[in-house]
Amino acid sequence: LALPMASAHTTTTLTPRESVLEALLAQSLAIDVETFRLQGPCSWQQLYEAAAAQWVEYGIPLTTHSKLEAFLKEKAAPHSLTPATEAPSALPNETQPRVGILRPLSLPHRNLGEAEESAPLSPPSPPLSVHVTAFGPFMGVPDNPTQTMVRELPDYLLSRELPANVTVSSASIVETSGTGALEMLDQLFAHVPPADDGRTVMLHLGVSAGSSQFALETCGVNEAHFRCPDERGWSPSRQCIRPDASLDHSYSTSLPLNSLLSNLQNRGFPCQISMSAGRFVCNYIYYQSLHHSSGRETTSLFVHVPPFTKIEKERQLDFLFALLEILPSCFPSL
């Protein structure tokens, strides 16, 4: 897919699929496109070089380099005072994925040649914002399927259109450790607006090595009891996750799991509701996430997925897409 170039006095009309591409690029690069459109000067190559480095930092594959180039050329051209030049011949070397917050984009496309005093478009009602997390490898699981799913989710969404009332605001890989999970959550919740109106869902994914179906987890329990050390060497035994609550204290998701289950099963996905997320880092991040959500209008859900040997990768990506597609139905206001 190549985006057409915009002239200095026109704006490109994007197809729905191209709009998805533009939004994904803007999110992954953490670029405020509207600010860029109104400010200048800046050559597209300068922005390209900075953007490519950010793709590496966030663990986003650089295989879509030509799309990035076309996107940045289009955005920079109207305000560039320097001629567009060829893209850098060498891209930065890719590194291991890191936690990165991806910013949402919901900006109207407007004619850049119009007078600045033109009346601004009324913003639409904000969509459901979903932050997706996955875990990296840990003892006994060198290739975590959830990590692969989150890595490939941006490219997958280029070929499948989510409803207008839901957006993937971030897709992050979390270190499989209690400390890493908490650090990730602190970053995620710091990006949730104070007046959120319940339009944010933290969707956490983890692998259940012995399972052959998807499991929607009901609750997180305030108990850390690790069967093996986490990635930072921590191996608690019947220890409170939060010392201000009892060991058996739990938080439950506010999402209607029976409705989600029915919808997913009707689409042919083997799925069940689970009453226990275990006592490893999966339960740890779920309990902490639900605790964070309890003090605001956000909602959290943990889903255990089987290994790819039980359900192939493409089918698991289809499941994740279906879940994202169904989630807005849990919110009558959307």
Side-chain angles (χ1 to χ4, degrees):
L1 175 65
L3 294 179
M5 294 289 295
S7 70
H9 299 290
T10 62
T11 186
T12 301
T13 300
L14 300 182
T15 67
R17 187 180 179 206
E18 288 170 338
S19 295
V20 171
L21 172 61
E22 182 186 47
L24 283 169
L25 287 170
Q27 289 169 10
S28 63
L29 302 173
I31 293 173
D32 187 337
V33 176
E34 188 67 6
T35 298
F36 179 74
R37 283 174 173 165
L38 299 178
Q39 295 179 357
C42 176
S43 72
W44 76 266
Q45 184 174 0
Q46 290 173 312
L47 188 56
Y48 176 89
E49 291 169 347
Q54 282 198 342
W55 273 37
V56 170
E57 180 180 357
Y58 290 148
I60 308 256
L62 291 171
T63 53
T64 51
H65 136 91
S66 60
K67 299 172 187 175
L68 169 63
E69 176 184 338
F71 172 78
L72 295 176
K73 274 186 176 180
E74 177 177 359
K75 299 308 172 193
H79 297 292
S80 176
L81 297 184
T82 58
T85 57
E86 293 303 315
S89 58
L91 295 174
N93 292 328
E94 295 197 40
T95 59
Q96 289 299 315
R98 290 180 50 188
V99 168
I101 303 300
L102 312 184
R103 287 167 40 185
L105 174 69
S106 55
L107 300 170
H109 296 286
R110 59 190 180 87
N111 192 317
L112 291 171
E114 293 176 358
E116 289 300 321
E117 58 268 16
S118 298
L121 298 176
S122 298
S125 181
L128 181 69
S129 171
V130 184
H131 296 270
V132 184
T133 74
F135 284 114
F138 60 96
M139 187 177 294
V141 183
D143 299 308
N144 196 318
T146 65
Q147 174 177 282
T148 302
M149 291 167 68
V150 163
R151 274 179 176 168
E152 299 192 9
L153 181 61
D155 281 340
Y156 181 91
L157 291 178
L158 294 179
S159 61
R160 302 286 296 273
E161 292 182 27
L162 281 172
N165 58 355
V166 60
T167 184
V168 177
S169 297
S170 73
S172 308
I173 299 171
V174 186
E175 179 187 74
T176 311
S177 70
T179 302
L182 191 54
E183 290 172 351
M184 170 84 270
L185 289 175
D186 287 343
Q187 291 185 55
L188 286 176
F189 279 95
H191 284 72
V192 177
D196 179 63
D197 297 329
R199 295 179 182 272
T200 298
V201 173
M202 301 296 174
L203 177 58
H204 307 294
L205 305 177
V207 62
S208 179
S211 180
S212 58
Q213 58 183 328
F214 303 98
L216 309 178
E217 298 296 346
T218 305
C219 62
V221 181
N222 190 34
E223 180 183 359
H225 186 73
F226 293 1
R227 57 180 173 78
C228 64
D230 68 13
E231 289 301 285
R232 298 199 188 184
W234 187 41
S235 54
S237 176
R238 293 187 56 79
Q239 181 174 328
C240 287
I241 295 173
R242 300 192 66 87
D244 55 349
S246 63
L247 193 68
D248 61 353
H249 179 261
S250 65
Y251 288 109
S252 296
T253 182
S254 60
L255 290 171
L257 295 189
N258 286 325
S259 175
L260 287 175
L261 178 68
S262 177
N263 271 285
L264 291 166
Q265 289 179 335
N266 287 341
R267 296 182 184 215
F269 296 105
C271 194
Q272 66 177 352
I273 292 176
S274 167
M275 301 302 293
S276 174
R279 294 297 185 269
F280 194 45
V281 186
C282 293
N283 175 73
Y284 187 96
I285 196 173
Y286 199 20
Y287 182 82
Q288 293 279 28
S289 184
L290 289 165
H291 173 78
H292 279 68
S293 295
S294 67
R296 50 176 77 213
E297 297 298 323
T298 57
T299 305
S300 299
L301 175 64
F302 194 98
V303 179
H304 268 119
V305 307
F308 290 150
T309 54
K310 301 293 180 64
I311 298 180
E312 63 183 10
K313 179 184 68 177
E314 285 303 319
R315 188 59 175 161
Q316 295 217 34
L317 283 167
D318 290 344
F319 168 85
L320 179 54
F321 180 85
L323 182 56
L324 292 169
E325 199 173 35
I326 294 167
L327 276 174
S329 67
C330 302
F331 300 83
S333 62
L334 294 175

